[in-house]
Amino acid sequence: MKNYHQIKADWHAIKTQPSFHKIVLIMKTTCLLLLFSTGNIEASLSYAQSTKLSLTMTNTSIEKVLERIESQSEFQFYYNSKLVNTKRKVSVNVIDKEVFAVLDQVFAEGDIDYKVVDKDVILTQKNHHPSAKETKEAMPSQEGNKKIAGTIIDQNGEAIIGASIVVKGTSL
């Protein structure tokens, strides 16, 4: 059993070794750098928040409004023309507003909902849950493959971006 003086002597030997001082110096430096770096963290604005649009269009189709937004910005609109009516006429009058304010005004009346993902805007029909008939045309047969088209949605009815379907037992 070690007595107090031996433990004190052992600790002094550990403290005086060069590696102990290096470890302490590294720990202090790391803490200091961490403190400085957390002070510089801030949230950056997304493209949708930083881009301002100005539109004045009266009794114009939604399709033309979307084309004008695409020409003024880097936004791209994606929608199924069978589900989203872009022929409806709307009036828009905004000056230096975010895309959210513009789209809220365009789609205030009607059954179109939107979701902004970076520079892509996905238009869907409000509260639309596609039927089995809408989500697939046919399964591949031995005569040849047929195209399957539709929307894959989650439990909230929102489209799942980038999802794909593979026929079980094949690479299709």
Side-chain angles (χ1 to χ4, degrees):
M1 175 180 236
K2 292 185 178 184
N3 64 28
Y4 174 74
H5 295 292
Q6 285 178 325
I7 294 172
K8 189 174 178 184
D10 290 344
W11 175 249
H12 181 69
I14 291 171
K15 258 179 77 176
T16 57
Q17 289 180 359
S19 62
F20 179 79
H21 291 294
K22 286 181 184 179
I23 291 171
V24 171
L25 182 64
I26 290 171
M27 288 173 55
K28 286 180 180 178
T29 306
T30 303
C31 288
L32 190 63
L33 289 174
L34 184 63
L35 213 95
F36 283 129
S37 65
T38 56
N40 292 329
I41 294 176
E42 61 182 69
S44 61
L45 294 176
S46 69
Y47 180 77
Q49 293 171 321
S50 62
T51 303
K52 303 294 183 192
L53 300 171
S54 296
L55 294 171
T56 303
M57 303 175 83
T58 306
N59 202 25
T60 309
S61 70
I62 291 175
E63 185 175 23
K64 296 289 182 195
V65 174
L66 299 181
E67 287 173 6
R68 178 76 61 87
I69 293 171
E70 285 180 342
S71 70
Q72 282 190 17
S73 65
E74 294 179 26
F75 288 108
Q76 294 291 315
F77 290 89
Y78 299 95
Y79 58 92
N80 183 340
S81 59
K82 293 178 184 176
L83 299 175
V84 177
N85 179 16
T86 57
K87 303 297 181 200
R88 185 171 58 87
K89 305 284 185 188
V90 294
S91 295
V92 182
N93 186 13
V94 292
I95 298 172
D96 289 333
K97 297 286 184 181
E98 293 177 355
V99 71
F100 302 109
V102 176
L103 295 176
D104 285 343
Q105 189 172 346
V106 170
F107 303 128
E109 298 173 14
D111 62 345
I112 299 174
D113 204 2
Y114 68 89
K115 185 174 187 174
V116 179
V117 180
D118 194 27
K119 296 176 185 175
D120 299 327
V121 182
I122 302 159
L123 305 180
T124 57
Q125 191 176 23
K126 284 184 183 174
N127 300 324
H128 177 73
H129 299 286
S131 66
K133 185 177 180 183
E134 291 174 333
T135 56
K136 64 179 182 176
E137 292 175 10
M139 294 299 288
S141 63
Q142 292 192 352
E143 298 88 42
N145 295 335
K146 293 186 179 178
K147 183 178 179 180
I148 298 174
T151 305
I152 300 172
I153 58 171
D154 62 12
Q155 64 272 16
N156 297 326
E158 294 184 20
I160 300 174
I161 298 168
S164 60
I165 297 174
V166 177
V167 178
K168 189 174 182 179
T170 69
S171 61
L172 304 173

